[in-house]
Structures are given as C-alpha cells and as structure tokens.
Amino acid sequence: MKSVTVIGASLAGLYAARALRSQGFDGRLTIVGDEHHRPYDRPPLSKDFLTGTTGQDQLALADAEETAELDAEWLLGTRATGLDAGSRAVRLDTGRTLTTDGVVLATGAIPRRLPGPGSPPSGTHTLRTLEDARALRRDLTGGGPARVVVIGGGFIGAEVASSCAALGHHVTVVEAAPLPLVPQLGRDMAELCSRLHADHGVTLLTGTGVTQLHSAGVDDRVTAVELADGRLLPADAVVVGIGVRPATDWLADSGLPLDNGVRCDAGCATPIPSVVAVGDVANVNGTRAEHWTSATEQAATAARNLLAGRSVATHQGLPYFWSDQYGVRIQFAGRRLPGATPRILEGSPDDRSFLAGYERDGRTTAVLALNRPRPFMRLRRELARAAQPATT
C-alpha cells in the first residue's frame, strides 16, 4: 500500500494516522478535514473552554514536532463530498479527486437539530466544534446573568448546564424523557446523577419536549422556548443537545453499507478491505460508540487491518466514558446488561461521591463512580482483564 487517505482530521483521524506510521506505513499520507483547525480535543469545549479557564492553544492533540513527524499532507477546510469505494477515489469540494490505495473514514458525527422549517433564531446553538464553542462563549460572556435553556439532558447538555451555572447564568434543562441518562446508567443511578442539577440551582424539567422557539427583533433573536405542555420559558440563549448522527451523507452513493454509521466488522473493516472506519462514524458489529476512548482504541486495529488488506485483528476494548459536571467526575466502564442491579461498594450517594457495581448472576459487568477515580480505575482494570478472551 503506497498511499492512504484519512477523511476526518479530528481525534479518530489523528490516532489512525499515528497508528499507520507506528505500524510501518511509509507511503503518502493525506489527511482531509472540513474544519480549518489541526486536530483538537473536544471534551473541554463544553467545560473548561466554555468557562474560559482553558484556551485554544491548550486543546491541540499534537504539537508541531509530532505533526511534522507524521509527514502528512493536510487538506484542512476541505470537505469530502463523495467516495467511489471500489476505486478508492475521494471527491473533494475543491473539485479535486484523490485516488488512493487505502481509505480511513473518520468523519465523526453531526449534532441533531430541532425539527422544523428554516434556520433556528440567532442565539440558538449546538456544541460540537471549536467554532460552535466560540459562538456560545460569546453569547455567555460580556453581559450580566443570562437565561439559558438547554434542550437535552444527556452528557453534553448536563456539561453545558454546569458550565453556564458556573458562569452565573440562570439555567433550565429540558429533557423529553422522564429522566435523563437512563439508557446509559439505569434508573436508580440516573436519578442520583440528575440531582446534581438541583444541587447547583439548575432547574431540570423532564417528560416534555419543545414545540417552538420564539424570536423577535431585527436580528431574529431567540426570546423563549415553548414546551409541548404549553409552558413558555424565557431565554436569552438556547443550547440544543439532543444527540448526534453519524456523518455519512457524503457516502450515500459509495456502495458501502450504511446503517447508523458505516457498518464494519469487529476489526473496523468494511466489506471493501481497502476501506476502514473509526470513531463516531463506525458501526462496529452493530454498535456505534460515541466516546473518546473508543475513537483512540479503534485506530490501531483499523490501521493494522487496512495495511494487511483483511481483518487480522479485532477491537476488544471495554466501553468507557466520563463526564465532568458541577465539580463531579462521573466515570462508567463495562456493559450494563439487562437485569443488572447496581450496588454501592463504597462512599455515599448523599455526598455525591460513591462507587457502584452493576451485578447480574453474581458477576460485576459494569462500574460507575462519582468522584472516586482511584477505586474506579482499579475495578475498570479488573473488568478489562475479565473481558479478555481466554488463551491457551
């Protein structure tokens, strides 16, 4: 293989490029990214960057020396518009077509938007990119306390709510489900985590959706959020955090199997051996993981299989994610199986500091911690060892 093109210049794309070089690929490496920035860390965007305690220069995932060592051609501010998977021809919005021996798909995901015609009013934000975070930060700084409505009570919504509260704003979180985070944590643990909002003066409204955003003025500025139950919430800024969808629109005519992402085997390989997928865009054996660790761990496996031309390795990583909210670090690892019962192993939920194990049939399958990083890491390692296939 003499040339590889990585589509996506964020976390997963960077780690794939690193893996290719570390595994001996010395051919032409091209990295295409639709943003104008070199790869940067996204988790701080909803936290320290939003509150102003972290600057843009602290977000970089690779310094100048490492970037030079990758010896890649960077096509930034360039969007891939199509792929002929059979011939590995990548069409770009510049009119250029790249023909390459191997392709790594790392285009990530796109925030879901509220349904309805037209563009949302000014002052309405999603949070996925550095430019998104900059725009939201401009709306939140420079004036007095603002009325912020966060639509969606998942991890991104909760982190944004936490940051806005830390900046002194009046925050309301609207969640359509009866309780946020139940699919990830189960009802009992989700209820404990949801109490963090009230602890810090944030209003959580559940069991109702949003029907309309109201606006006024020559700049069509958002003024209120209308809920499905008829309530009207005054708003100076609105953040929509209702999930993401994989960025696969540009692959519609590629011939690749698309189903909630790019369908891959356990080695991140598509049915076309010269094309692999990593990160948020990859549906690996029916599962698409939208977490930092998944993107980084998949890269080495995908690179190995791409260079081999077939699946010679599989990704065996244990699911893991974390979230920082209101000064509390929430960490989760493992798989919460149906019927698993959480049990507090140490600490107290009343103190918002505890370690819990999810147990089924006498076996711990997942672990959750609030502000218990050391014992959590110990149990995470134990779960990872238990999940490894037996060797003879």
Side-chain angles (χ1 to χ4, degrees):
M1 189 166 285
K2 297 181 179 180
S3 61
V4 174
T5 299
V6 178
I7 312 297
S10 192
L11 178 73
L14 174 64
Y15 270 72
R18 286 173 173 171
L20 286 164
R21 290 304 193 204
S22 68
Q23 293 179 28
F25 175 68
D26 60 0
R28 178 167 56 88
L29 179 60
T30 305
I31 303 174
V32 180
D34 58 0
E35 294 185 66
H36 291 275
H37 310 288
R38 292 288 173 94
Y40 59 88
D41 207 16
R42 294 186 192 274
L45 296 182
S46 58
K47 299 181 278 286
D48 292 344
F49 182 83
L50 195 56
T51 59
T53 57
T54 292
Q56 180 178 340
D57 57 335
Q58 296 169 277
L59 300 178
L61 288 170
D63 58 23
E65 181 179 355
E66 182 188 3
T67 301
E69 288 176 353
L70 280 177
D71 189 24
E73 178 186 10
W74 293 83
L75 301 180
L76 300 177
T78 303
R79 185 169 56 88
T81 60
L83 170 67
D84 183 330
S87 62
R88 283 103 48 212
V90 181
R91 298 189 299 275
L92 307 178
D93 63 355
T94 59
R96 181 179 175 185
T97 297
L98 301 174
T99 302
T100 182
D101 295 328
V103 178
V104 179
L105 302 175
T107 46
I110 303 168
R112 296 186 184 277
R113 300 185 180 274
L114 293 174
S119 300
S122 61
T124 306
H125 303 269
T126 56
L127 186 55
R128 181 72 179 179
T129 68
L130 179 57
E131 298 308 319
D132 292 340
R134 282 175 170 170
L136 178 56
R137 192 163 73 172
R138 285 194 297 268
D139 263 4
L140 297 175
T141 56
R147 299 164 298 181
V148 181
V149 176
V150 179
I151 303 172
F155 287 118
I156 287 294
E159 290 170 2
V160 170
S162 169
S163 296
C164 291
L167 291 169
H169 300 301
H170 306 293
V171 185
T172 301
V173 177
V174 179
E175 169 60 43
L179 188 66
L181 302 176
V182 171
Q184 295 87 354
L185 305 179
R187 181 168 185 82
D188 292 343
M189 295 295 105
E191 186 172 356
L192 291 175
C193 290
S194 71
R195 295 176 191 171
L196 293 172
H197 294 296
D199 289 348
H200 294 82
V202 172
T203 301
L204 173 63
L205 303 178
T206 62
T208 184
V210 172
T211 58
Q212 186 179 356
L213 301 182
H214 294 260
S215 59
V218 294
D219 59 348
D220 190 36
R221 181 84 189 181
V222 68
T223 58
V225 176
E226 184 175 341
L227 304 183
D229 59 16
R231 281 178 288 182
L232 203 64
L233 306 178
D236 302 305
V238 172
V239 182
V240 181
I242 55 175
V244 297
R245 61 181 182 85
T248 57
D249 292 350
W250 69 285
L251 294 169
D253 299 323
S254 65
L256 290 170
L258 305 178
D259 178 16
N260 186 32
V262 179
R263 289 213 314 262
C264 316
D265 64 15
C268 301
T270 73
I272 298 175
S274 54
V275 180
V276 297
V278 292
D280 291 357
V281 78
N283 183 333
V284 180
N285 270 358
T287 300
R288 193 171 61 82
E290 298 171 3
H291 302 300
W292 199 95
T293 49
S294 298
T296 59
E297 291 173 354
Q298 289 172 355
T301 301
R304 182 178 175 187
N305 292 333
L306 180 65
L307 296 176
R310 58 190 179 90
S311 285
V312 296
T314 59
H315 174 58
Q316 301 288 345
L318 185 76
Y320 166 65
F321 62 83
W322 79 92
S323 178
D324 294 318
Q325 306 171 22
Y326 305 106
V328 175
R329 168 149 288 197
I330 301 171
Q331 295 172 286
F332 183 94
R335 295 175 174 84
R336 188 180 69 84
L337 302 178
T341 302
R343 181 169 66 91
I344 302 297
L345 303 175
E346 64 174 67
S348 169
D350 293 336
D351 298 330
R352 309 301 189 254
S353 175
F354 65 88
L355 180 73
Y358 292 78
E359 300 176 351
R360 194 179 79 166
D361 299 330
R363 185 169 66 93
T364 300
T365 63
V367 60
L368 168 71
L370 270 65
N371 277 351
R372 296 270 169 161
R374 289 186 178 179
F376 171 84
M377 293 306 294
R378 174 177 54 80
L379 281 184
R380 180 189 172 193
R381 287 193 294 268
E382 291 178 6
L383 285 174
R385 285 194 295 267
Q388 292 298 315
T391 57
T392 57

Coordinates of all heavy atoms in Angstrom, one line a residue, residues 302-350:
A302 N -7.8 -0.7 13.3 CA -8.2 -0.4 11.9 C -7.0 -0.3 11.0 O -7.0 -0.7 9.9 CB -9.0 0.9 11.9
A303 N -5.9 0.4 11.5 CA -4.7 0.6 10.7 C -4.1 -0.8 10.4 O -3.6 -1.0 9.3 CB -3.7 1.5 11.5
R304 N -4.0 -1.6 11.4 CA -3.4 -3.0 11.1 C -4.2 -3.7 10.0 O -3.5 -4.3 9.1 CB -3.4 -3.8 12.4 CG -2.7 -5.1 12.3 CD -2.7 -5.9 13.6 NE -2.2 -7.2 13.4 CZ -2.1 -8.1 14.4 NH1 -2.6 -7.8 15.6 NH2 -1.7 -9.3 14.1
N305 N -5.5 -3.7 10.1 CA -6.3 -4.4 9.1 C -6.2 -3.8 7.8 O -6.2 -4.5 6.7 CB -7.7 -4.5 9.6 CG -7.8 -5.4 10.8 OD1 -7.0 -6.3 11.1 ND2 -8.8 -5.2 11.7
L306 N -6.2 -2.5 7.7 CA -6.0 -1.8 6.4 C -4.7 -2.2 5.7 O -4.7 -2.5 4.5 CB -6.1 -0.3 6.6 CG -6.0 0.6 5.4 CD1 -7.2 0.3 4.5 CD2 -5.9 2.1 5.7
L307 N -3.6 -2.2 6.5 CA -2.3 -2.5 5.9 C -2.2 -4.0 5.5 O -1.6 -4.3 4.6 CB -1.2 -2.1 6.9 CG -1.1 -0.6 7.2 CD1 0.0 -0.4 8.2 CD2 -0.8 0.2 5.9
A308 N -3.0 -4.8 6.3 CA -3.0 -6.2 6.0 C -3.9 -6.6 4.8 O -3.7 -7.6 4.2 CB -3.4 -7.1 7.2
G309 N -4.8 -5.7 4.5 CA -5.8 -6.0 3.4 C -6.9 -6.9 3.8 O -7.7 -7.3 3.0
R310 N -7.0 -7.3 5.1 CA -8.0 -8.1 5.6 C -8.1 -8.0 7.1 O -7.1 -7.5 7.7 CB -7.8 -9.6 5.2 CG -6.5 -10.2 5.7 CD -6.2 -11.5 5.1 NE -4.9 -12.1 5.5 CZ -4.8 -12.8 6.6 NH1 -5.8 -13.2 7.3 NH2 -3.6 -13.3 7.0
S311 N -9.1 -8.5 7.8 CA -9.2 -8.4 9.2 C -8.3 -9.5 9.9 O -8.7 -10.7 9.9 CB -10.7 -8.6 9.7 OG -11.4 -7.4 9.4
V312 N -7.2 -9.1 10.4 CA -6.3 -10.0 11.2 C -6.3 -9.6 12.6 O -5.7 -10.3 13.4 CB -4.9 -9.9 10.6 CG1 -4.8 -10.3 9.2 CG2 -4.3 -8.4 10.8
A313 N -7.1 -8.6 13.0 CA -7.1 -8.2 14.4 C -8.5 -7.7 14.7 O -9.2 -7.2 13.8 CB -6.1 -7.1 14.8
T314 N -9.0 -7.8 15.9 CA -10.3 -7.2 16.3 C -10.1 -6.3 17.5 O -9.1 -6.4 18.3 CB -11.3 -8.4 16.7 OG1 -10.7 -9.1 17.8 CG2 -11.5 -9.3 15.6
H315 N -11.1 -5.4 17.6 CA -11.0 -4.4 18.7 C -11.7 -5.0 19.9 O -12.9 -5.4 19.9 CB -11.8 -3.1 18.3 CG -11.9 -2.1 19.4 ND1 -10.8 -1.6 20.1 CD2 -13.0 -1.6 20.0 CE1 -11.3 -0.8 21.0 NE2 -12.6 -0.7 20.9
Q316 N -11.0 -5.1 21.1 CA -11.5 -5.8 22.3 C -11.7 -4.8 23.4 O -11.8 -5.3 24.6 CB -10.5 -6.9 22.7 CG -10.3 -8.0 21.7 CD -11.5 -8.9 21.5 OE1 -12.4 -8.9 22.3 NE2 -11.5 -9.6 20.4
G317 N -11.7 -3.5 23.2 CA -11.8 -2.6 24.2 C -13.0 -2.6 25.1 O -14.1 -3.0 24.6
L318 N -12.9 -2.3 26.4 CA -14.0 -2.3 27.3 C -14.7 -0.9 27.2 O -13.9 0.1 27.3 CB -13.5 -2.5 28.7 CG -14.6 -2.6 29.8 CD1 -15.4 -4.0 29.7 CD2 -14.0 -2.4 31.2
P319 N -16.0 -0.8 27.0 CA -16.6 0.5 26.9 C -16.3 1.4 28.1 O -16.4 0.9 29.3 CB -18.1 0.2 26.8 CG -18.1 -1.2 26.2 CD -16.9 -1.9 26.8
Y320 N -16.0 2.6 27.9 CA -15.6 3.5 29.0 C -16.0 4.9 28.6 O -15.7 5.3 27.4 CB -14.1 3.4 29.3 CG -13.6 4.6 30.2 CD1 -14.1 4.7 31.5 CD2 -12.7 5.5 29.7 CE1 -13.7 5.8 32.3 CE2 -12.3 6.5 30.5 CZ -12.7 6.7 31.8 OH -12.3 7.7 32.6
F321 N -16.6 5.7 29.5 CA -16.8 7.1 29.2 C -16.8 7.9 30.6 O -16.9 7.3 31.6 CB -18.1 7.4 28.5 CG -19.4 6.9 29.2 CD1 -20.0 7.7 30.1 CD2 -19.9 5.7 28.9 CE1 -21.1 7.3 30.8 CE2 -21.1 5.3 29.5 CZ -21.7 6.1 30.5
W322 N -16.6 9.2 30.5 CA -16.6 10.0 31.6 C -17.3 11.3 31.3 O -17.5 11.7 30.1 CB -15.2 10.3 32.1 CG -14.5 11.3 31.4 CD1 -14.4 12.6 31.7 CD2 -13.7 11.1 30.2 NE1 -13.6 13.3 30.7 CE2 -13.2 12.4 29.8 CE3 -13.4 10.0 29.4 CZ2 -12.4 12.5 28.7 CZ3 -12.6 10.1 28.3 CH2 -12.1 11.4 27.9
S323 N -17.7 12.0 32.4 CA -18.4 13.3 32.2 C -18.1 14.2 33.4 O -18.1 13.7 34.6 CB -19.9 13.2 32.0 OG -20.5 14.4 31.9
D324 N -17.7 15.4 33.2 CA -17.5 16.4 34.3 C -18.6 17.3 34.5 O -18.9 18.1 33.5 CB -16.2 17.1 34.1 CG -15.0 16.2 34.2 OD1 -14.9 15.3 35.0 OD2 -14.1 16.4 33.3
Q325 N -19.3 17.3 35.6 CA -20.5 18.1 35.8 C -20.5 18.7 37.3 O -20.3 17.9 38.2 CB -21.8 17.4 35.6 CG -21.9 16.6 34.3 CD -23.1 15.7 34.3 OE1 -24.1 15.8 35.1 NE2 -23.1 14.7 33.4
Y326 N -20.6 20.0 37.4 CA -20.7 20.6 38.7 C -19.6 20.2 39.7 O -19.8 20.0 40.9 CB -22.1 20.3 39.3 CG -23.2 20.7 38.4 CD1 -23.9 19.6 37.7 CD2 -23.6 22.0 38.2 CE1 -25.0 20.0 36.9 CE2 -24.7 22.3 37.4 CZ -25.4 21.3 36.8 OH -26.5 21.6 35.9
G327 N -18.4 20.1 39.2 CA -17.3 19.7 40.0 C -17.2 18.2 40.4 O -16.4 17.8 41.2
V328 N -18.1 17.4 39.7 CA -18.1 16.0 40.0 C -17.7 15.3 38.7 O -18.2 15.5 37.6 CB -19.6 15.5 40.3 CG1 -19.6 14.0 40.5 CG2 -20.0 16.2 41.7
R329 N -16.8 14.3 38.8 CA -16.4 13.5 37.7 C -17.2 12.2 37.7 O -17.1 11.4 38.7 CB -14.9 13.2 37.7 CG -14.5 12.1 36.7 CD -13.1 12.2 36.1 NE -13.1 13.3 35.2 CZ -12.1 13.5 34.3 NH1 -11.1 12.6 34.2 NH2 -12.1 14.5 33.5
I330 N -18.0 12.0 36.7 CA -18.8 10.7 36.5 C -18.0 9.8 35.6 O -17.7 10.2 34.5 CB -20.2 11.0 36.0 CG1 -20.9 12.0 36.9 CG2 -21.0 9.7 35.8 CD1 -22.2 12.5 36.3
Q331 N -17.7 8.6 36.0 CA -17.0 7.6 35.2 C -17.8 6.3 35.1 O -18.3 5.9 36.2 CB -15.6 7.4 35.8 CG -14.7 8.6 35.8 CD -13.4 8.3 36.5 OE1 -13.4 8.3 37.8 NE2 -12.3 8.1 35.8
F332 N -17.8 5.7 34.0 CA -18.5 4.5 33.8 C -17.7 3.6 32.9 O -17.2 4.0 31.9 CB -19.9 4.7 33.1 CG -20.7 3.5 32.9 CD1 -21.7 3.1 33.9 CD2 -20.6 2.7 31.8 CE1 -22.5 2.0 33.7 CE2 -21.4 1.6 31.6 CZ -22.3 1.2 32.6
A333 N -17.6 2.3 33.2 CA -16.9 1.3 32.4 C -17.7 0.0 32.4 O -18.3 -0.4 33.4 CB -15.5 1.1 32.9
G334 N -17.6 -0.7 31.3 CA -18.3 -2.0 31.2 C -19.6 -2.0 30.4 O -19.8 -1.0 29.7
R335 N -20.3 -3.0 30.6 CA -21.6 -3.1 29.9 C -22.7 -3.4 30.9 O -22.7 -4.3 31.7 CB -21.6 -4.3 28.9 CG -20.6 -4.1 27.8 CD -20.4 -5.3 26.9 NE -19.6 -5.0 25.7 CZ -18.2 -5.1 25.8 NH1 -17.6 -5.4 26.9 NH2 -17.5 -4.8 24.7
R336 N -23.7 -2.5 30.9 CA -24.9 -2.6 31.8 C -25.9 -3.6 31.2 O -26.6 -3.2 30.3 CB -25.5 -1.2 32.1 CG -26.6 -1.3 33.2 CD -27.2 0.1 33.4 NE -27.9 0.5 32.3 CZ -29.2 0.2 32.1 NH1 -29.9 -0.6 32.9 NH2 -29.9 0.7 31.0
L337 N -25.8 -4.8 31.6 CA -26.6 -5.8 31.0 C -28.1 -5.8 31.5 O -28.3 -5.3 32.6 CB -26.1 -7.2 31.3 CG -24.6 -7.5 30.8 CD1 -24.2 -8.9 31.2 CD2 -24.5 -7.3 29.3
P338 N -29.0 -6.2 30.7 CA -30.4 -6.2 31.1 C -30.6 -7.0 32.5 O -30.0 -8.1 32.6 CB -31.2 -6.9 30.0 CG -30.3 -6.7 28.8 CD -28.9 -6.7 29.3
G339 N -31.3 -6.4 33.4 CA -31.5 -7.1 34.7 C -30.4 -6.9 35.7 O -30.5 -7.3 36.8
A340 N -29.3 -6.1 35.3 CA -28.2 -5.9 36.2 C -28.7 -4.9 37.3 O -29.4 -4.0 37.1 CB -27.0 -5.3 35.5
T341 N -28.2 -5.2 38.6 CA -28.6 -4.4 39.7 C -27.4 -3.6 40.2 O -26.4 -4.2 40.5 CB -29.2 -5.3 40.8 OG1 -30.3 -6.0 40.3 CG2 -29.6 -4.4 42.0
P342 N -27.5 -2.3 40.3 CA -26.4 -1.5 40.9 C -26.3 -1.7 42.4 O -27.3 -1.7 43.1 CB -26.7 -0.1 40.5 CG -28.2 -0.1 40.4 CD -28.6 -1.4 39.9
R343 N -25.1 -1.8 42.9 CA -24.9 -1.9 44.4 C -23.7 -0.9 44.7 O -22.7 -0.9 44.1 CB -24.5 -3.3 44.7 CG -24.3 -3.6 46.2 CD -24.2 -5.0 46.5 NE -23.0 -5.7 46.0 CZ -21.8 -5.8 46.6 NH1 -21.7 -5.2 47.8 NH2 -20.8 -6.4 46.0
I344 N -24.0 -0.1 45.8 CA -23.0 0.8 46.3 C -21.9 0.0 47.0 O -22.1 -0.7 47.9 CB -23.6 1.8 47.2 CG1 -24.7 2.6 46.6 CG2 -22.5 2.8 47.7 CD1 -24.3 3.4 45.4
L345 N -20.6 0.2 46.5 CA -19.5 -0.5 47.0 C -18.7 0.3 48.0 O -18.1 -0.3 49.0 CB -18.6 -1.0 45.9 CG -19.2 -1.8 44.8 CD1 -18.2 -2.1 43.7 CD2 -19.7 -3.1 45.3
E346 N -18.7 1.6 47.9 CA -18.1 2.5 48.8 C -18.6 3.9 48.6 O -19.1 4.2 47.6 CB -16.6 2.4 48.8 CG -16.0 3.0 47.5 CD -14.5 3.0 47.5 OE1 -13.8 2.0 47.6 OE2 -14.0 4.2 47.5
G347 N -18.5 4.7 49.7 CA -19.0 6.1 49.6 C -20.5 6.2 49.8 O -21.1 5.2 50.2
S348 N -21.0 7.4 49.5 CA -22.4 7.6 49.8 C -23.0 8.5 48.7 O -22.4 9.5 48.4 CB -22.6 8.3 51.1 OG -23.9 8.8 51.3
P349 N -24.2 8.1 48.1 CA -24.8 9.0 47.1 C -25.2 10.3 47.7 O -25.2 11.3 47.0 CB -26.1 8.2 46.8 CG -25.7 6.8 47.0 CD -24.8 6.8 48.2
D350 N -25.4 10.4 49.0 CA -25.8 11.7 49.6 C -24.6 12.7 49.5 O -24.8 13.9 49.5 CB -26.2 11.5 51.1 CG -27.5 10.7 51.2 OD1 -28.3 10.7 50.3 OD2 -27.7 10.1 52.3

